[in-house]
Amino acid sequence: MTQWEPTVKKLSAAEPPAKDERESLRKGRTLFREGRFDDARRAFEDLLAGFPKSAGAHLGLGLVLLRRGSPEEARAHFGEARKLDPLLPKAYVLEGQALMEQGHIEPAKAAFRDALNLDPKSVRALVGLGQAQMRQNERGEALKTLEAALRYEPRKVLPRLLLAEILAGQGRNDEAVTELRLVLEIDPQHVRAANLLAKSLVRANDRAGAERVLHAAVSRSSDDSARSVQLGRAALELEFFQVAEDALLAALQRDPDRAAIRLHLVEALLANGKLEEAEQQVRKLPQTGQTASLVHKLLGDVHLRRKQFR
């Protein structure tokens, strides 16, 4: 008998929410999914004003606070949700995530295990527990936990990605490559998986394969500046300078005012020996404050390289 079985016998699940409460919850959750976190927060706060015993509203507000970087405040709401509905696994999972953000790994593991006592098939709880085990370098246990998560949801990306990281860390590079390819089959635009796969292929002395992976990922991510930047930086790190240039040019077209993107692009252009283009990009940087001295240094680097090539 688990520690939760007596509780299950004594307690019934919380009463289902009323129609108005359900509609307000739906509105708040929609706003959260759309990334409108301030509006979502107001929606959940308004809901709690009318329905102070709404476990769902506490969970929603806690999620917003967690996303906004306030895990302590978030935990208070997850705790309230637990009190209102002690049989709600999600409340324990979210508390575990908040504890992880605060670096409280053992209490987080306990929260994830509490969720699993209520729902042994909770993939979110299994993934959270696996991440906590990884943080404590319990790689063998984490491997088993993440494999269990994948038995329930084999197309879930995060546990497969974490599994690949563990396998790579154990020197099982071929298995890691297999897992990462599966992730990209499920989500072809997954930048982190593409970066990790490229690094794994480089470790396997397959630089041509690694370059193809990054090139394909850049082609799929050209309409997303953040993804293009991540891919460009990974390509720079692996010394695939043409791929880096392509990725960073795509990012700059969508976000032309980001000086950081332009700086990475200059690095790629210099590595490719494209000195005139590098100088053009340097001169487009803002020449005020700290950036002015950096622009002066970069122009000096360009002129020095020109002399070396003459």
Side-chain angles (χ1 to χ4, degrees):
M1 181 177 289
T2 70
Q3 61 173 310
W4 283 103
E5 285 178 6
T7 309
V8 173
K9 290 177 181 177
K10 291 177 186 176
L11 293 168
S12 61
E15 289 294 319
K19 182 180 178 182
D20 288 349
E21 183 185 350
R22 286 198 305 273
E23 290 176 355
S24 296
L25 279 171
R26 192 178 300 114
K27 176 185 174 184
R29 289 166 180 164
T30 299
L31 291 168
F32 182 85
R33 283 194 299 272
E34 292 173 351
R36 298 166 58 186
F37 301 124
D38 290 339
D39 291 337
R41 179 172 184 166
R42 282 191 289 271
F44 289 125
E45 286 174 340
D46 290 346
L47 178 55
L48 281 172
F51 299 92
K53 293 187 178 181
S54 171
H58 278 291
L59 287 181
L61 183 53
L63 262 174
V64 174
L65 292 166
L66 190 58
R67 181 63 65 92
R68 287 298 200 193
S70 301
E72 190 67 35
E73 290 180 72
R75 281 177 57 199
H77 287 283
F78 299 148
E80 285 300 316
R82 275 201 339 267
K83 290 176 189 174
L84 290 163
D85 189 352
L87 306 184
L88 192 62
K90 188 176 181 181
Y92 299 88
V93 172
L94 292 174
E95 182 169 20
Q97 291 175 355
L99 287 162
M100 285 273 286
E101 292 220 0
Q102 293 180 296
H104 303 321
I105 308 303
E106 279 300 330
K109 286 164 68 175
F112 293 130
R113 288 191 174 110
D114 285 343
L116 289 167
N117 283 334
L118 288 169
D119 179 6
K121 295 183 180 181
S122 170
V123 171
R124 296 175 76 177
L126 286 165
V127 171
L129 179 57
Q131 288 177 301
Q133 290 165 332
M134 288 177 71
R135 289 273 291 271
Q136 292 189 320
N137 209 29
E138 297 170 350
R139 300 278 168 162
E141 290 302 310
L143 198 68
K144 294 175 188 174
T145 303
L146 295 167
E147 286 173 340
L150 287 168
R151 281 196 294 274
Y152 297 123
E153 287 192 40
R155 292 185 64 80
K156 193 81 170 175
V157 164
L158 182 55
R160 199 168 291 284
L161 191 69
L162 296 170
L163 189 65
E165 289 184 14
I166 294 173
L167 292 167
Q170 292 178 337
R172 298 158 66 180
N173 204 56
D174 290 348
E175 293 172 77
V177 166
T178 299
E179 295 298 336
L180 291 165
R181 289 195 189 281
L182 281 169
V183 170
L184 288 171
E185 283 181 20
I186 297 165
D187 182 1
Q189 291 190 320
H190 202 291
V191 169
R192 186 176 167 196
N195 289 348
L196 289 172
L197 178 55
K199 289 177 182 178
S200 294
L201 290 169
V202 167
R203 281 196 295 271
N205 296 316
D206 184 4
R207 286 189 61 80
E211 187 171 14
R212 283 196 299 272
V213 166
L214 288 177
H215 180 76
V218 169
S219 300
R220 289 191 294 263
S221 302
S222 59
D223 61 344
D224 188 306
S225 176
R227 287 176 177 168
S228 295
V229 170
Q230 290 176 52
L231 289 164
R233 292 175 66 180
L236 280 173
E237 182 184 343
L238 295 173
E239 299 185 355
F240 296 124
F241 298 121
Q242 186 57 55
V243 176
E245 181 184 332
D246 294 343
L248 294 163
L249 276 170
L252 201 59
Q253 286 174 357
R254 297 192 66 81
D255 203 351
D257 296 326
R258 285 277 304 280
I261 299 175
R262 204 174 294 278
L263 284 169
H264 288 308
L265 177 58
V266 169
E267 184 181 350
L269 290 167
L270 288 173
N272 279 329
K274 298 180 179 179
L275 302 184
E276 289 187 14
E277 292 175 47
E279 182 176 353
Q280 290 171 8
Q281 293 297 335
V282 171
R283 293 191 182 282
K284 291 178 181 178
L285 287 164
Q287 300 190 33
T288 55
Q290 292 182 338
T291 313
S293 59
L294 182 57
V295 167
H296 182 74
K297 179 181 180 302
L298 287 170
L299 288 173
D301 288 346
V302 171
H303 294 317
L304 181 62
R305 292 191 186 211
R306 277 210 178 104
K307 287 181 182 178
Q308 291 171 343
F309 280 114
R310 283 173 185 167

